[in-house]
Amino acid sequence: MQTLRKKARAYGLRVIDISGVPAARAAGSILERARKKRLNISKSFFISHTDAGTRIGREVNVQTIQIGTHPRGAKLGAHYYVPNLEAAIKLLRARKR
């Protein structure tokens, strides 16, 4: 996570880490941490490597980026799919311009 934070900060991005938070409390945890950090959730992105993580991001109405490929048969997937974390950061940088 520290590497992600450093890379994100280098590009003017901020990170909320919810790793280790039980899925049942993840959406509330995201909203609470965003409120504390005064982040505009409507301009935020949720990066995950799982379908469950993508669903959590969708629950709080943020745009979602999933690392990996689009799962076949998924009814509601991520907004964006990227092959790795570096590609996610590049996508965020391009969207920030």
Side-chain angles (χ1 to χ4, degrees):
M1 181 49 67
Q2 287 302 89
T3 302
L4 172 59
R5 283 184 202 275
K6 286 180 183 179
K7 286 182 180 181
R9 280 192 196 127
Y11 296 115
L13 305 171
R14 298 191 315 188
V15 174
I16 295 176
D17 178 16
I18 64 159
S19 56
V21 174
R25 294 195 343 242
S29 182
I30 292 168
L31 294 173
E32 177 65 20
R33 292 175 191 193
R35 184 188 62 76
K36 285 181 180 177
K37 292 182 178 254
R38 296 186 176 142
L39 296 178
N40 183 342
I41 203 85
S42 68
K43 293 182 179 180
S44 298
F45 287 81
F46 188 84
I47 301 173
S48 177
H49 65 282
T50 67
D51 294 339
T54 297
R55 281 192 299 276
I56 292 165
R58 290 262 192 186
E59 284 180 30
V60 295
N61 292 322
V62 296
Q63 292 189 61
T64 55
I65 301 172
Q66 187 166 329
I67 297 172
T69 58
H70 188 285
R72 293 178 186 248
K75 293 181 181 177
L76 186 62
H79 292 95
Y80 303 95
Y81 288 87
V82 294
N84 53 46
L85 185 57
E86 288 74 22
I89 290 173
K90 285 180 184 178
L91 173 66
L92 291 172
R93 287 183 57 209
R95 300 270 311 165
K96 192 174 177 184
R97 292 183 190 153

